[in-house]
Every structure is written in C-alpha cells, then in structure tokens.
C-alpha cells in the first residue's frame, strides 16, 4: 500500500516491503519452533506444517493484509446447517483471534486470521500463526468425526 511503513519495532529493522517483513518473521518463527523456514514465493505465499495442520501464509500487499488459513474439512453433503451453526458457535470464543470460514471455490472449511500488514509486529505474527495452527490441529479431526463425508 502507498505510504505504508513496514518496521520491526522490537529490532528497529525497516523493510522495503511487506513481503520482506513477513519473510523475516517467518525466519524467526521457524527458528523458534525448530522448523525449516518456508520461503514466500513471488505471489507472497508460503506454507508451514504445524501438527496435523498446514498453515498457508499470504501477503496480500495490494490489499494491505496478511491472510493465514488452514484447511479443516470438506463441507459434507448432509447436515450442512448443523455444521454451519457449530462453526459459528466455535468461532465465538474457541478460535481466539482466528475464525472458521468457508471457501466457496473449494467448498471447504478453513480456520483463518486476517491482519493489517502495517504496524504488524513479530509477536502478533507469531501469535496469529500459532493460533491458526492450534485451532486447525485441534478441530480438524473432531469436526471430521462429527460431520463425516
């Protein structure tokens, strides 16, 4: 975004763009959790496995946001309304800073977190990444058992 400033306030590092900032945060997070660092591609996307979840990281610089998602389950043919209500109830408190969402293109349930890129600090980034992974890891098997095929 025009006039946006991307800075790690803790370290005092100023980044040329949002992707460079998020890549730096990915490096720090991966080192902290003992994982290989995922590298953002030319579209600003990367993924990181955490438990049974795979968190997709998307830097949507044109929109000024960071989007983190993790697939949970395909939407079943039966009991859709019951599933939708369950997801809304869980999103009220059980998902912390994340929420359940449905991707109309893939007909799948995701856990997602969305955050403005400007003024994003490392601790917020790490918390969002850990939260999306934790919620997806906790609920994917439970929801698949509760709402099979």
């Amino acid at each position: 975004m025009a006039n946006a400033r991307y800075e790690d306030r803790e370290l005092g590092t100023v980044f040329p763009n949002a992707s460079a900032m998020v890549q730096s945060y990915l490096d720090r997070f991966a080192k902290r959790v003992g994982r290989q660092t995922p590298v953002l591609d030319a579209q600003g996307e990367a993924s990181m496995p955490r438990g049974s979840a795979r968190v997709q990281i998307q830097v949507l610089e044109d929109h000024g946001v960071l989007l983190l998602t993790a697939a949970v389950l395909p939407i079943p043919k039966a009991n859709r309304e019951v599933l939708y209500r369950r997801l809304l109830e869980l999103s009220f408190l059980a998902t912390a800073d994340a929420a359940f969402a449905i991707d109309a293109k893939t007909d799948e349930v995701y856990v997602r977190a969305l955050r403005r890129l400007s003024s994003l600090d490392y601790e917020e980034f790490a918390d969002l990444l850990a939260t999306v992974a934790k919620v997806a890891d906790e609920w994917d098997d439970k929801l698949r058992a509760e709402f099979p095929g």
Side-chain angles (χ1 to χ4, degrees):
M1 298 202 85
N3 300 324
R5 182 174 168 96
Y6 304 109
E7 179 178 6
D8 183 333
R9 291 185 301 273
E10 181 183 338
L11 301 178
T13 307
V14 176
F15 299 98
N17 55 49
S19 290
M21 177 183 68
V22 171
Q23 185 62 61
S24 173
Y25 292 171
L26 278 170
D27 294 343
R28 286 170 63 185
F29 187 86
K31 285 178 187 153
R32 189 174 91 185
V33 298
R35 295 263 185 198
Q36 184 175 355
T37 300
V39 177
L40 291 171
D41 64 17
Q43 289 75 43
E45 299 178 9
S47 69
M48 176 176 268
R50 300 286 295 145
S52 65
R54 176 166 289 279
V55 179
Q56 295 297 123
I57 299 114
Q58 294 179 289
V59 178
L60 304 172
E61 197 158 353
D62 289 347
H63 298 285
V65 297
L66 173 71
L67 176 63
L68 303 171
T69 59
V72 176
L73 79 154
I75 297 174
K77 303 267 186 248
N79 297 321
R80 287 179 173 225
E81 292 81 11
V82 176
L83 170 65
Y84 299 156
R85 180 174 179 104
R86 181 85 164 112
L87 295 175
L88 285 170
E89 290 170 349
L90 290 170
S91 289
F92 188 67
L93 288 176
T95 57
D97 289 335
F100 286 103
I102 294 170
D103 184 340
K105 292 179 189 172
T106 63
D107 217 24
E108 285 194 68
V109 174
Y110 286 82
V111 174
R112 72 121 181 111
L114 189 68
R115 169 62 167 81
R116 195 176 75 234
L117 284 161
S118 63
S119 76
L120 175 69
D121 66 29
Y122 171 73
E123 290 304 322
E124 290 174 293
F125 173 83
D127 182 57
L128 288 172
L129 182 54
T131 297
V132 169
K134 180 180 182 253
V135 172
D137 188 38
E138 178 180 353
W139 287 100
D140 57 357
D141 293 333
K142 291 177 185 178
L143 289 170
R144 286 174 191 262
E146 195 173 334
F147 298 97

